[in-house]
């Protein structure tokens, strides 16, 4: 019986091996923007593919990075509007002034910056240092490849700590940062690409209803004392179901406060869900067979618990979910879950 790999090659030593890999020369200039003024610049989808990127010494520019990247540093820029697609690692602004930006990243930092307005999706706690006049809002953006770029960057659209800012250098009696007005529209700060620019082919939207990242209220004061915890356990359509739930409750006027996507061990389920734990343990990531992470939503408004329970029954009848039982215990449900999630994520 023969073997596919049993024959030895008869190629002579002097012959060329067509299988020799070719090396591609990387031009550092392809991964940086420097010294630009009064122009529109950036990178189209597929141009970075997870590489590092540098933006420096730009003035009065519109900059669009419609791709995922490893890290991005922005130095010595003034009066610029910036969109940065999902960044697997850190985004670091240094010595920048009068910047309006939309950013999605694992880590966000600023140092020696003044007057920045940031629509942010950040998986960890954003940090500002020696920076003043910083204002933050929730990421609101869409373009066709954005969901894929989030996945390529290893970021969850449900893990967004945009309003949980840590000021590394606070000044007594002063506030170095604040939250943007709740009605702030992202395109009023970072306009869509000009129709005459090279980015006109990228179909963008700043409509919160189309945003890849769910629009959350974050650390702003809640409108109601009643909140509800709604948790989707791992399944084939977990993300789609969570997005559908968000759409359903918004139709009725309730508000999305925060979201999280985390893995849970059986012991975590028992601690977080207590009396309801037994029927949920088999749905965790370490069960047999293993399941994926859970997605949790905190929804707020008078009557939200009853409304969520009705939606769970009518819309998600065949889906494994946890919903707060009543408004007397719902606040405890919210605190138990999100305290656990923040501890697991090191927040």
């Amino acid at each position: 019986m023969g073997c596919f790999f049993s024959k030895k090659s008869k190629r002579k030593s002097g012959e060329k091996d067509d299988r020799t890999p070719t090396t591609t020369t990387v031009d550092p200039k392809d991964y940086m923007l420097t010294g630009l003024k009064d122009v529109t610049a950036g990178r189209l989808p597929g141009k970075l593919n997870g590489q590092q990127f540098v933006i420096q010494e730009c003035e009065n520019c519109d900059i669009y990075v419609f791709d995922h990247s490893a890290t991005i540093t922005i130095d010595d820029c003034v009066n610029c509007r910036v969109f940065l697609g999902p960044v697997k690692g850190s985004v670091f602004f240094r010595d920048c002034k009068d910047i309006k930006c939309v950013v999605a990243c694992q880590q966000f930092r600023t140092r020696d910056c003044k007057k920045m307005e940031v629509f942010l999706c950040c998986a960890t706690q954003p940090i500002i240092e020696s920076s003043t006049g910083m204002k933050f809002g929730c990421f609101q953006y869409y373009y066709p490849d954005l969901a894929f770029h989030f996945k390529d960057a290893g970021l969850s659209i449900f893990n967004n700590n945009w309003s949980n800012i840590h000021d590394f250098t606070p000044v007594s009696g002063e506030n170095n940062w604040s939250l943007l007005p709740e009605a702030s529209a992202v395109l009023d700060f970072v306009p869509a690409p000009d129709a005459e620019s090279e980015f006109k082919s990228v179909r963008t939207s700043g409509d919160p209803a189309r945003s890849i990242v769910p629009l959350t209220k974050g650390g702003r004061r809640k409108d109601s004392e009643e909140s509800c915890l709604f948790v989707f356990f791992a399944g084939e359509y977990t993300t789609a179901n969570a997005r559908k739930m968000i759409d359903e409750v918004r139709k009725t006027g309730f508000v999305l406060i925060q979201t999280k996507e985390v893995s849970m061990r059986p012991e975590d389920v028992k601690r977080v869900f207590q009396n309801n734990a037994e029927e949920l343990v088999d749905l965790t990531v370490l069960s047999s067979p293993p399941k994926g992470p859970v997605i949790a939503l905190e929804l707020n408004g008078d009557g939200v618990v009853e409304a969520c329970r009705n939606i769970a029954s009518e819309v998600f009848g065949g889906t494994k979910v946890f919903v707060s039982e009543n408004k007397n215990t719902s606040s405890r449900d919210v605190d138990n879950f999100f305290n656990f999630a923040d501890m697991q994520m090191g927040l």
Side-chain angles (χ1 to χ4, degrees):
M1 183 177 287
C3 174
F4 286 117
F5 303 104
S6 61
K7 253 185 179 178
K8 292 185 178 179
S9 172
K10 294 182 180 180
R11 182 183 288 109
K12 296 179 182 179
S13 59
E15 291 183 12
K16 182 179 178 181
D17 188 348
D18 293 333
R19 297 173 299 172
T20 303
T22 58
T23 57
T24 303
T25 303
V26 176
D27 187 347
K29 292 181 181 178
D30 291 338
Y31 301 96
M32 63 190 308
L33 298 173
T34 183
L36 302 178
K37 185 175 182 179
D38 303 327
V39 299
T40 297
R43 293 294 181 269
L44 288 165
K47 295 299 183 181
L48 295 184
N49 283 327
Q51 298 296 316
Q52 297 181 4
F53 198 64
V54 174
I55 303 170
Q56 58 188 18
E57 298 173 353
C58 294
E59 182 179 350
N60 193 34
C61 292
D62 293 310
I63 297 172
Y64 303 94
V65 180
F66 291 125
D67 206 354
H68 66 102
S69 57
T71 63
I72 295 183
T73 55
I74 305 94
D75 294 327
D76 301 294
C77 290
V78 178
N79 190 29
C80 291
R81 282 73 51 198
V82 182
F83 174 87
L84 303 180
V87 181
K88 186 174 185 177
S90 65
V91 169
F92 200 175
F93 284 85
R94 298 178 294 198
D95 298 289
C96 292
K97 181 180 179 181
D98 293 320
I99 304 294
K100 297 176 173 63
C101 58
V102 184
V103 180
C105 59
Q106 176 74 18
Q107 299 176 325
F108 178 87
R109 291 191 63 187
T110 70
R111 188 173 68 203
D112 297 313
C113 293
K114 296 179 180 179
K115 292 183 66 178
M116 288 184 59
E117 293 162 316
V118 187
F119 289 85
L120 181 63
C121 177
C122 187
T124 56
Q125 186 175 27
I127 296 174
I128 63 172
E129 179 182 355
S130 301
S131 299
T132 59
M134 311 293 289
K135 296 182 179 181
F136 293 88
C138 183
F139 185 102
Q140 305 166 46
Y141 216 82
Y142 167 87
Y143 62 85
D145 292 321
L146 185 53
F148 299 107
H149 291 164
F150 263 91
K151 185 175 181 180
D152 291 336
L155 300 177
S156 168
I157 62 173
F158 297 104
N159 291 334
N160 186 6
N161 298 285
W162 67 270
S163 64
N164 184 22
I165 313 299
H166 176 67
D167 188 350
F168 199 70
T169 52
V171 178
S172 179
E174 296 182 16
N175 291 322
N176 292 324
W177 68 273
S178 61
L179 301 183
L180 286 165
E182 197 162 356
S184 297
V186 65
L187 295 185
D188 291 340
F189 295 78
V190 181
D194 188 274
E196 301 301 319
S197 75
E198 64 175 306
F199 305 101
K200 63 183 178 182
S201 62
V202 182
R203 293 181 292 108
T204 64
S205 173
D207 181 356
R210 297 191 66 191
S211 177
I212 294 298
V213 175
L215 177 63
T216 56
K217 195 176 185 71
R220 297 188 181 100
R221 183 181 178 87
K222 298 177 184 179
D223 298 327
S224 169
E225 294 183 358
E226 183 179 343
S227 279
C228 179
L229 177 66
F230 201 114
V231 181
F232 289 91
F233 285 80
E236 190 175 355
Y237 304 106
T238 306
T239 297
N241 284 337
R243 295 304 301 258
K244 183 174 178 60
M245 178 63 191
I246 292 169
D247 291 340
E248 289 289 334
V249 294
R250 280 184 173 156
K251 290 177 185 176
T252 54
F254 297 113
V255 177
L256 182 65
I257 302 298
Q258 60 179 327
T259 63
K260 280 289 187 296
E261 182 174 11
V262 293
S263 296
M264 298 189 78
R265 299 169 299 177
E267 54 267 37
D268 299 327
V269 173
K270 293 176 182 177
R271 185 170 68 254
V272 171
F273 296 105
Q274 300 177 3
N275 296 337
N276 302 95
E278 290 303 321
E279 60 188 271
L280 302 174
V281 165
D282 291 339
L283 306 176
T284 61
V285 69
L286 293 183
S287 60
S288 182
K291 308 295 191 301
V294 304
I295 297 175
L297 318 173
E298 179 190 354
L299 301 146
N300 183 262
D302 293 341
V304 69
V305 172
E306 182 181 359
C308 285
R309 293 189 68 82
N310 289 337
I311 293 172
S313 174
E314 297 169 6
V315 181
F316 303 105
T319 305
K320 293 294 185 181
V321 300
F322 170 88
V323 189
S324 295
E325 288 188 8
N326 59 72
K327 64 181 182 180
N328 297 324
T329 59
S330 57
S331 294
R332 183 189 65 195
D333 296 334
V334 169
D335 291 343
N336 285 350
F337 184 89
F338 286 99
N339 286 342
F340 155 76
D342 287 345
M343 284 184 8
Q344 189 187 53
M345 300 177 71
L347 297 174

